[in-house]
Amino acid sequence: MSRVVILTGAGISAESGLGTFRAENGLWAQHRVEDVATPEGFRADPALVHRFYNMRRAESAGADPNEAHRALARLEAELDGGVTIVTQNVDDLHERGGAQNIIHMHGALAGSLCAACDHRWPSAFETTPADLCPHCATPNTRPDIVWFGEMPYQMDRIFGLLQDAEIFAAIGTSGNVYPAAGFAHEARRSGAHTVELNLEPSMVVNDFVETRFGPATRTVPEWVAELLG
Ligand code: APR
């Protein structure tokens, strides 16, 4: 049970220097989603997909958590009743910012998955299609990332959290991708206070009773300071 459930998206890591997806120069302006973020794309050209996630893993390693990540870790440490961060992000900036109670619903760059036997293990910094699965010893290594057309992780647990939450916040996400874009509606239906902290109104801004616009490194520490009173 968590009093506060927080959904984060690429926008919370933007000020750490990591690209978002749908900005002008975003990741989906540089790479075709179907080539690097679908099971079909992986089957067609696994080397391209490994290179894409090797590049993102290197960028993530070169980035530092920012004041927004650190403010959420403070909230988790100091607020009675519990905080759960449900992140769409695959970087490890929440962890490196000090948070612990994190659900990576779209997977994580830190993980590898075997496309043949579903074994999971900590990813090497650089991976290739030739890497053997430590469990079944076949060359079916893929990033443990949830691609378009695949089911995000821990959805039952997340919906349980949304039903029990007193506060639901969404930070740095455009509301373009379901099921995450539907979380505010779900939480509000169960009586949670919903707040959007984003650079600009998201596609689902009307699902929130409270909105705070601006860069996350300003809006999140302010919001956390108020919650911790
Ligand atoms: N502070 C706060 N919000 C910001 C900042 C910032 N400094 N910079 C950008 N944003 C906001 C943008 O206004 C936008 O609404 O972050 C949001 C980023 O939106 P997207 O690029 O669509 O990223 P996200 O919502 O995380 O995408 C969701 O889509 O492609 C899939 O799996 C991928 O997890 C990703 C999912």
Side-chain angles (χ1 to χ4, degrees):
M1 158 71 167
S2 282
R3 267 186 62 199
V4 181
V5 176
I6 301 166
L7 172 71
T8 63
I12 199 170
S13 298
E15 290 164 90
S16 295
L18 296 185
T20 61
F21 292 95
R22 293 169 182 84
E24 291 263 300
N25 58 344
L27 279 167
W28 296 150
Q30 300 163 42
H31 306 271
R32 285 163 28 100
V33 172
E34 50 273 31
D35 291 345
V36 296
T38 63
E40 298 75 19
F42 179 68
R43 271 194 295 279
D45 189 347
L48 170 67
V49 173
H50 278 278
R51 283 198 303 274
F52 177 65
Y53 288 97
N54 288 341
M55 175 269 290
R56 294 186 65 194
R57 204 170 287 115
E59 285 181 351
S60 173
D64 294 317
N66 61 51
E67 279 317 303
H69 297 105
R70 276 193 271 277
L72 294 187
R74 252 194 325 277
L75 184 67
E76 178 191 302
E78 297 174 26
L79 185 79
D80 299 335
V83 173
T84 299
I85 295 170
V86 179
T87 188
Q88 299 171 92
N89 299 339
V90 295
D91 62 57
D92 61 352
L93 295 183
H94 281 302
E95 289 83 349
R96 287 161 55 202
Q100 293 173 356
N101 197 12
I102 304 163
I103 298 174
H104 278 276
M105 65 179 287
H106 287 172
L109 291 168
S112 279
L113 167 65
C114 179
C117 75
D118 266 351
H119 179 64
R120 285 180 169 79
W121 68 97
S123 173
F125 190 65
E126 294 232 331
T127 57
T128 75
D131 294 350
L132 299 182
C133 165
H135 180 70
C136 72
T138 63
N140 286 291
T141 298
R142 59 168 274 187
D144 189 9
I145 300 286
V146 177
W147 286 327
F148 286 94
E150 296 183 323
M151 177 59 73
Y153 292 147
Q154 305 200 48
M155 287 309 298
D156 292 343
R157 179 176 165 208
I158 293 169
F159 277 106
L161 287 163
L162 296 174
Q163 273 145 31
D164 296 340
E166 287 178 30
I167 297 172
F168 173 80
I171 303 173
T173 181
S174 63
N176 270 289
V177 176
Y178 286 81
F183 288 176
H185 177 79
E186 189 64 31
R188 192 171 174 183
R189 220 159 52 101
S190 306
H193 173 76
T194 51
V195 51
E196 174 169 277
L197 295 92
N198 209 51
L199 203 54
E200 66 216 349
S202 76
M203 299 284 282
V204 290
V205 66
N206 296 330
D207 290 342
F208 295 86
V209 294
E210 182 187 358
T211 55
R212 298 178 181 222
F213 299 129
T217 54
R218 175 172 61 72
T219 61
V220 178
E222 283 173 357
W223 177 65
V224 165
E226 285 173 31
L227 283 184
L228 294 177

